[in-house]
Short mmCIF file of all heavy atoms in Angstrom, two decimals:
data_model
loop_
_atom_site.label_atom_id
_atom_site.label_comp_id
_atom_site.label_asym_id
_atom_site.label_seq_id
_atom_site.Cartn_x
_atom_site.Cartn_y
_atom_site.Cartn_z
N MET A 1492 -9.77 -18.44 49.88
CA MET A 1492 -9.84 -18.00 48.48
C MET A 1492 -9.09 -16.61 48.47
O MET A 1492 -9.40 -15.65 49.30
CB MET A 1492 -11.34 -17.79 48.09
CG MET A 1492 -11.48 -17.24 46.74
SD MET A 1492 -13.24 -17.24 46.11
CE MET A 1492 -13.86 -16.03 47.28
N SER A 1493 -8.35 -16.44 47.46
CA SER A 1493 -7.61 -15.10 47.27
C SER A 1493 -8.39 -14.22 46.35
O SER A 1493 -9.02 -14.72 45.39
CB SER A 1493 -6.23 -15.31 46.55
OG SER A 1493 -5.36 -16.13 47.45
N ARG A 1494 -8.50 -12.98 46.74
CA ARG A 1494 -9.26 -12.00 45.93
C ARG A 1494 -8.29 -10.85 45.57
O ARG A 1494 -7.71 -10.28 46.53
CB ARG A 1494 -10.48 -11.62 46.67
CG ARG A 1494 -11.48 -12.67 46.79
CD ARG A 1494 -12.76 -12.17 47.66
NE ARG A 1494 -13.81 -13.16 47.74
CZ ARG A 1494 -14.94 -12.97 48.43
NH1 ARG A 1494 -15.09 -11.88 49.05
NH2 ARG A 1494 -15.82 -13.89 48.34
N GLU A 1495 -8.40 -10.33 44.28
CA GLU A 1495 -7.56 -9.18 44.01
C GLU A 1495 -8.27 -8.00 44.09
O GLU A 1495 -9.55 -7.92 43.74
CB GLU A 1495 -7.13 -9.39 42.55
CG GLU A 1495 -6.13 -10.54 42.36
CD GLU A 1495 -5.67 -10.77 40.86
OE1 GLU A 1495 -6.34 -10.04 39.97
OE2 GLU A 1495 -4.68 -11.52 40.63
N MET A 1496 -7.67 -6.90 44.51
CA MET A 1496 -8.23 -5.50 44.45
C MET A 1496 -7.54 -4.76 43.46
O MET A 1496 -6.33 -4.63 43.48
CB MET A 1496 -8.04 -4.97 45.93
CG MET A 1496 -8.49 -3.47 45.91
SD MET A 1496 -8.32 -2.78 47.60
CE MET A 1496 -8.73 -1.19 47.30
N ARG A 1497 -8.28 -4.23 42.52
CA ARG A 1497 -7.81 -3.48 41.33
C ARG A 1497 -8.27 -2.06 41.46
O ARG A 1497 -9.31 -1.75 42.10
CB ARG A 1497 -8.18 -4.24 40.04
CG ARG A 1497 -7.51 -5.53 39.89
CD ARG A 1497 -7.92 -6.19 38.50
NE ARG A 1497 -7.25 -7.36 38.43
CZ ARG A 1497 -5.89 -7.58 37.84
NH1 ARG A 1497 -5.38 -6.55 37.47
NH2 ARG A 1497 -5.40 -8.83 37.85
N PHE A 1498 -7.53 -1.24 40.80
CA PHE A 1498 -8.02 0.17 40.66
C PHE A 1498 -9.15 0.33 39.72
O PHE A 1498 -9.00 0.07 38.52
CB PHE A 1498 -6.78 1.03 40.16
CG PHE A 1498 -7.13 2.50 40.12
CD1 PHE A 1498 -7.79 3.15 41.23
CD2 PHE A 1498 -6.80 3.37 39.01
CE1 PHE A 1498 -8.12 4.53 41.11
CE2 PHE A 1498 -7.05 4.62 38.95
CZ PHE A 1498 -7.66 5.25 40.03
N THR A 1499 -10.31 0.61 40.30
CA THR A 1499 -11.51 0.74 39.42
C THR A 1499 -11.74 2.18 38.91
O THR A 1499 -11.13 3.13 39.43
CB THR A 1499 -12.85 0.31 40.25
OG1 THR A 1499 -12.85 1.21 41.39
CG2 THR A 1499 -12.62 -1.15 40.70
N ASP A 1500 -12.49 2.26 37.87
CA ASP A 1500 -12.72 3.55 37.20
C ASP A 1500 -13.46 4.43 38.14
O ASP A 1500 -14.62 4.27 38.52
CB ASP A 1500 -13.55 3.32 35.93
CG ASP A 1500 -13.68 4.50 35.10
OD1 ASP A 1500 -13.29 5.63 35.58
OD2 ASP A 1500 -14.21 4.49 34.01
N PRO A 1501 -12.78 5.59 38.52
CA PRO A 1501 -13.36 6.57 39.46
C PRO A 1501 -14.41 7.48 38.70
O PRO A 1501 -15.02 8.29 39.30
CB PRO A 1501 -12.22 7.37 39.92
CG PRO A 1501 -11.22 7.31 38.90
CD PRO A 1501 -11.36 5.90 38.26
N GLY A 1502 -14.53 7.31 37.34
CA GLY A 1502 -15.38 8.26 36.61
C GLY A 1502 -14.81 9.53 36.34
O GLY A 1502 -13.62 9.89 36.56
N GLU A 1503 -15.72 10.50 35.75
CA GLU A 1503 -15.28 11.74 35.41
C GLU A 1503 -14.06 11.98 34.60
O GLU A 1503 -13.29 12.92 34.60
CB GLU A 1503 -15.05 12.68 36.74
CG GLU A 1503 -16.20 12.70 37.69
CD GLU A 1503 -15.98 13.53 38.98
OE1 GLU A 1503 -14.80 13.56 39.35
OE2 GLU A 1503 -16.99 14.08 39.49
N GLY A 1504 -13.86 10.87 33.65
CA GLY A 1504 -12.77 10.92 32.75
C GLY A 1504 -11.40 10.65 33.28
O GLY A 1504 -10.38 10.84 32.73
N ILE A 1505 -11.37 10.23 34.59
CA ILE A 1505 -10.05 9.94 35.22
C ILE A 1505 -9.62 8.51 34.86
O ILE A 1505 -10.42 7.52 35.04
CB ILE A 1505 -10.11 10.14 36.71
CG1 ILE A 1505 -10.53 11.56 37.10
CG2 ILE A 1505 -8.74 9.69 37.38
CD1 ILE A 1505 -10.71 11.73 38.55
N HIS A 1506 -8.41 8.30 34.40
CA HIS A 1506 -7.95 7.03 34.00
C HIS A 1506 -6.67 6.56 34.71
O HIS A 1506 -6.20 5.39 34.67
CB HIS A 1506 -7.63 6.94 32.49
CG HIS A 1506 -8.83 7.33 31.63
ND1 HIS A 1506 -10.00 6.54 31.59
CD2 HIS A 1506 -9.14 8.44 30.85
CE1 HIS A 1506 -10.84 7.03 30.74
NE2 HIS A 1506 -10.35 8.27 30.41
N GLU A 1507 -6.06 7.41 35.50
CA GLU A 1507 -4.81 7.12 36.20
C GLU A 1507 -4.75 7.92 37.51
O GLU A 1507 -5.41 8.85 37.70
CB GLU A 1507 -3.57 7.29 35.31
CG GLU A 1507 -3.32 8.82 35.03
CD GLU A 1507 -2.06 9.01 34.27
OE1 GLU A 1507 -1.47 8.05 33.74
OE2 GLU A 1507 -1.63 10.24 34.25
N ALA A 1508 -3.91 7.42 38.40
CA ALA A 1508 -3.69 8.12 39.65
C ALA A 1508 -2.29 7.74 40.17
O ALA A 1508 -1.53 6.86 39.49
CB ALA A 1508 -4.69 7.66 40.69
N GLU A 1509 -1.80 8.41 41.22
CA GLU A 1509 -0.58 8.11 41.85
C GLU A 1509 -0.70 7.55 43.23
O GLU A 1509 -1.52 8.17 43.98
CB GLU A 1509 0.28 9.33 41.84
CG GLU A 1509 1.65 9.14 42.42
CD GLU A 1509 2.53 10.41 42.37
OE1 GLU A 1509 2.23 11.21 41.39
OE2 GLU A 1509 3.46 10.60 43.22
N VAL A 1510 -0.01 6.51 43.66
CA VAL A 1510 -0.12 5.95 44.95
C VAL A 1510 0.75 6.88 45.85
O VAL A 1510 1.90 7.09 45.77
CB VAL A 1510 0.49 4.48 44.95
CG1 VAL A 1510 0.37 3.97 46.42
CG2 VAL A 1510 -0.36 3.60 44.03
N VAL A 1511 0.01 7.46 46.92
CA VAL A 1511 0.67 8.36 47.79
C VAL A 1511 0.85 7.77 49.27
O VAL A 1511 1.75 8.40 49.96
CB VAL A 1511 -0.07 9.72 47.88
CG1 VAL A 1511 0.06 10.48 46.45
CG2 VAL A 1511 -1.50 9.59 48.23
N GLU A 1512 0.15 6.79 49.55
CA GLU A 1512 0.23 6.14 50.87
C GLU A 1512 -0.31 4.74 50.74
O GLU A 1512 -1.28 4.47 50.14
CB GLU A 1512 -0.49 6.97 51.83
CG GLU A 1512 -0.35 6.37 53.24
CD GLU A 1512 -1.14 7.16 54.28
OE1 GLU A 1512 -1.76 8.26 53.94
OE2 GLU A 1512 -1.04 6.92 55.48
N ILE A 1513 0.41 3.76 51.54
CA ILE A 1513 -0.01 2.37 51.64
C ILE A 1513 -0.28 2.24 53.15
O ILE A 1513 0.64 2.32 53.96
CB ILE A 1513 1.00 1.46 51.13
CG1 ILE A 1513 1.30 1.60 49.68
CG2 ILE A 1513 0.62 0.00 51.40
CD1 ILE A 1513 2.36 0.77 49.03
N MET A 1514 -1.49 1.92 53.48
CA MET A 1514 -1.99 1.93 54.85
C MET A 1514 -1.95 0.63 55.56
O MET A 1514 -2.29 0.44 56.66
CB MET A 1514 -3.40 2.51 54.90
CG MET A 1514 -3.41 3.90 54.33
SD MET A 1514 -5.16 4.52 54.27
CE MET A 1514 -5.00 6.16 53.52
N VAL A 1515 -1.53 -0.42 54.83
CA VAL A 1515 -1.49 -1.76 55.31
C VAL A 1515 -0.13 -2.46 54.98
O VAL A 1515 0.63 -1.98 54.15
CB VAL A 1515 -2.60 -2.69 54.75
CG1 VAL A 1515 -3.98 -2.15 55.22
CG2 VAL A 1515 -2.59 -2.64 53.18
N ASP A 1516 0.13 -3.53 55.62
CA ASP A 1516 1.28 -4.30 55.31
C ASP A 1516 1.04 -5.69 55.01
O ASP A 1516 -0.11 -6.17 55.31
CB ASP A 1516 2.24 -4.36 56.61
CG ASP A 1516 2.73 -3.01 57.16
OD1 ASP A 1516 3.15 -2.21 56.20
OD2 ASP A 1516 2.70 -2.71 58.28
N ALA A 1517 1.84 -6.44 54.28
CA ALA A 1517 1.63 -7.83 53.90
C ALA A 1517 1.45 -8.50 55.21
O ALA A 1517 2.29 -8.50 56.05
CB ALA A 1517 2.74 -8.31 53.09
N GLY A 1518 0.42 -9.28 55.27
CA GLY A 1518 0.18 -10.21 56.44
C GLY A 1518 -0.83 -9.59 57.42
O GLY A 1518 -1.22 -10.34 58.20
N SER A 1519 -1.07 -8.31 57.28
CA SER A 1519 -1.97 -7.72 58.19
C SER A 1519 -3.41 -8.12 57.82
O SER A 1519 -3.73 -8.35 56.65
CB SER A 1519 -1.79 -6.23 58.17
OG SER A 1519 -2.07 -5.58 56.94
N SER A 1520 -4.30 -7.93 58.75
CA SER A 1520 -5.77 -8.26 58.47
C SER A 1520 -6.61 -6.94 58.33
O SER A 1520 -6.36 -5.94 58.95
CB SER A 1520 -6.30 -9.12 59.60
OG SER A 1520 -5.65 -10.31 59.70
N VAL A 1521 -7.66 -6.98 57.39
CA VAL A 1521 -8.42 -5.78 57.18
C VAL A 1521 -9.78 -6.32 57.11
O VAL A 1521 -10.09 -7.37 56.83
CB VAL A 1521 -8.08 -5.18 55.87
CG1 VAL A 1521 -6.55 -4.49 55.90
CG2 VAL A 1521 -8.20 -6.03 54.70
N GLU A 1522 -10.69 -5.37 57.29
CA GLU A 1522 -12.17 -5.63 57.25
C GLU A 1522 -12.67 -4.89 56.05
O GLU A 1522 -12.11 -3.91 55.61
CB GLU A 1522 -12.91 -5.26 58.54
CG GLU A 1522 -12.47 -6.03 59.74
CD GLU A 1522 -13.28 -5.63 61.01
OE1 GLU A 1522 -14.11 -4.75 60.87
OE2 GLU A 1522 -12.98 -6.16 62.06
N GLU A 1523 -13.84 -5.38 55.63
CA GLU A 1523 -14.46 -4.74 54.45
C GLU A 1523 -14.71 -3.27 54.75
O GLU A 1523 -15.26 -2.91 55.76
CB GLU A 1523 -15.69 -5.44 54.01
CG GLU A 1523 -16.42 -4.86 52.88
CD GLU A 1523 -17.76 -5.53 52.55
OE1 GLU A 1523 -17.90 -6.66 53.13
OE2 GLU A 1523 -18.51 -4.95 51.76
N GLY A 1524 -14.32 -2.36 53.88
CA GLY A 1524 -14.44 -0.91 54.01
C GLY A 1524 -13.28 -0.25 54.69
O GLY A 1524 -13.26 1.13 54.67
N ASP A 1525 -12.29 -0.95 55.23
CA ASP A 1525 -11.13 -0.34 55.77
C ASP A 1525 -10.26 0.37 54.62
O ASP A 1525 -10.16 -0.20 53.51
CB ASP A 1525 -10.19 -1.33 56.49
CG ASP A 1525 -10.80 -1.86 57.78
OD1 ASP A 1525 -11.73 -1.22 58.25
OD2 ASP A 1525 -10.29 -2.71 58.32
N SER A 1526 -9.70 1.46 54.84
CA SER A 1526 -8.91 2.14 53.94
C SER A 1526 -7.59 1.46 53.86
O SER A 1526 -6.89 1.13 54.87
CB SER A 1526 -8.71 3.69 54.29
OG SER A 1526 -9.89 4.40 54.17
N VAL A 1527 -7.19 1.02 52.65
CA VAL A 1527 -5.95 0.43 52.50
C VAL A 1527 -4.86 1.12 51.69
O VAL A 1527 -3.66 1.01 51.92
CB VAL A 1527 -6.18 -1.08 51.74
CG1 VAL A 1527 -6.93 -1.96 52.64
CG2 VAL A 1527 -6.94 -0.85 50.46
N LEU A 1528 -5.24 2.11 50.76
CA LEU A 1528 -4.36 2.76 49.93
C LEU A 1528 -5.01 4.28 49.83
O LEU A 1528 -6.12 4.47 49.92
CB LEU A 1528 -4.18 2.20 48.50
CG LEU A 1528 -3.66 0.80 48.40
CD1 LEU A 1528 -3.76 0.46 46.90
CD2 LEU A 1528 -2.11 0.93 48.76
N ALA A 1529 -4.09 5.19 49.55
CA ALA A 1529 -4.51 6.53 49.25
C ALA A 1529 -3.80 6.84 47.93
O ALA A 1529 -2.69 6.63 47.67
CB ALA A 1529 -4.02 7.60 50.27
N VAL A 1530 -4.69 7.29 46.89
CA VAL A 1530 -4.20 7.60 45.56
C VAL A 1530 -4.58 9.19 45.33
O VAL A 1530 -5.47 9.60 45.88
CB VAL A 1530 -4.78 6.74 44.51
CG1 VAL A 1530 -4.38 5.36 44.80
CG2 VAL A 1530 -6.25 6.87 44.42
N GLU A 1531 -3.82 9.67 44.39
CA GLU A 1531 -3.97 11.15 44.19
C GLU A 1531 -4.25 11.21 42.70
O GLU A 1531 -3.35 10.82 41.86
CB GLU A 1531 -2.78 11.98 44.53
CG GLU A 1531 -2.83 13.40 44.28
CD GLU A 1531 -1.67 14.23 44.82
OE1 GLU A 1531 -0.61 13.87 44.45
OE2 GLU A 1531 -1.95 15.20 45.69
N THR A 1532 -5.30 11.75 42.26
CA THR A 1532 -5.56 12.09 40.83
C THR A 1532 -5.18 13.47 40.52
O THR A 1532 -4.49 14.03 41.20
CB THR A 1532 -7.12 11.87 40.49
OG1 THR A 1532 -7.84 12.74 41.29
CG2 THR A 1532 -7.54 10.47 40.88
N ASP A 1533 -5.59 13.90 39.41
CA ASP A 1533 -5.19 15.36 38.95
C ASP A 1533 -5.56 16.35 39.94
O ASP A 1533 -4.78 17.36 40.08
CB ASP A 1533 -5.88 15.71 37.62
CG ASP A 1533 -5.42 14.81 36.57
OD1 ASP A 1533 -4.52 14.11 36.71
OD2 ASP A 1533 -6.03 14.85 35.43
N LYS A 1534 -6.61 16.27 40.69
CA LYS A 1534 -7.11 17.30 41.59
C LYS A 1534 -7.32 16.95 42.97
O LYS A 1534 -7.50 17.83 43.81
CB LYS A 1534 -8.32 17.87 41.00
CG LYS A 1534 -8.14 18.45 39.60
CD LYS A 1534 -7.39 19.72 39.57
CE LYS A 1534 -7.41 20.42 38.27
NZ LYS A 1534 -6.80 19.72 37.18
N ALA A 1535 -7.40 15.66 43.28
CA ALA A 1535 -7.79 15.31 44.74
C ALA A 1535 -7.11 13.99 45.08
O ALA A 1535 -6.62 13.14 44.30
CB ALA A 1535 -9.25 15.11 44.70
N THR A 1536 -7.00 13.88 46.51
CA THR A 1536 -6.42 12.58 47.03
C THR A 1536 -7.66 11.79 47.65
O THR A 1536 -8.50 12.36 48.42
CB THR A 1536 -5.45 12.92 48.15
OG1 THR A 1536 -4.39 13.70 47.71
CG2 THR A 1536 -4.96 11.56 48.85
N THR A 1537 -7.59 10.45 47.36
CA THR A 1537 -8.71 9.63 47.71
C THR A 1537 -8.25 8.43 48.42
O THR A 1537 -7.24 7.74 47.98
CB THR A 1537 -9.64 9.23 46.43
OG1 THR A 1537 -10.06 10.48 45.71
CG2 THR A 1537 -10.78 8.34 46.88
N GLU A 1538 -8.95 8.03 49.44
CA GLU A 1538 -8.60 6.76 50.13
C GLU A 1538 -9.38 5.65 49.61
O GLU A 1538 -10.61 5.67 49.33
CB GLU A 1538 -8.85 6.82 51.55
CG GLU A 1538 -7.97 7.81 52.33
CD GLU A 1538 -8.08 7.77 53.76
OE1 GLU A 1538 -8.98 6.93 54.34
OE2 GLU A 1538 -7.40 8.55 54.50
#
Side-chain angles (χ1 to χ4, degrees):
M1492 179 174 67
S1493 294
R1494 293 179 174 178
E1495 293 180 348
M1496 176 177 172
R1497 294 182 178 273
F1498 183 45
T1499 58
D1500 188 351
E1503 299 179 337
I1505 301 174
H1506 301 292
E1507 66 175 16
E1509 179 177 334
V1510 179
V1511 295
E1512 184 179 0
I1513 299 176
M1514 305 174 179
V1515 294
D1516 298 316
S1519 60
S1520 296
V1521 298
E1522 296 182 2
E1523 181 179 347
D1525 286 351
S1526 295
V1527 293
L1528 296 172
V1530 299
E1531 188 175 51
T1532 61
D1533 293 349
K1534 300 293 190 294
T1536 299
T1537 305
E1538 293 185 1

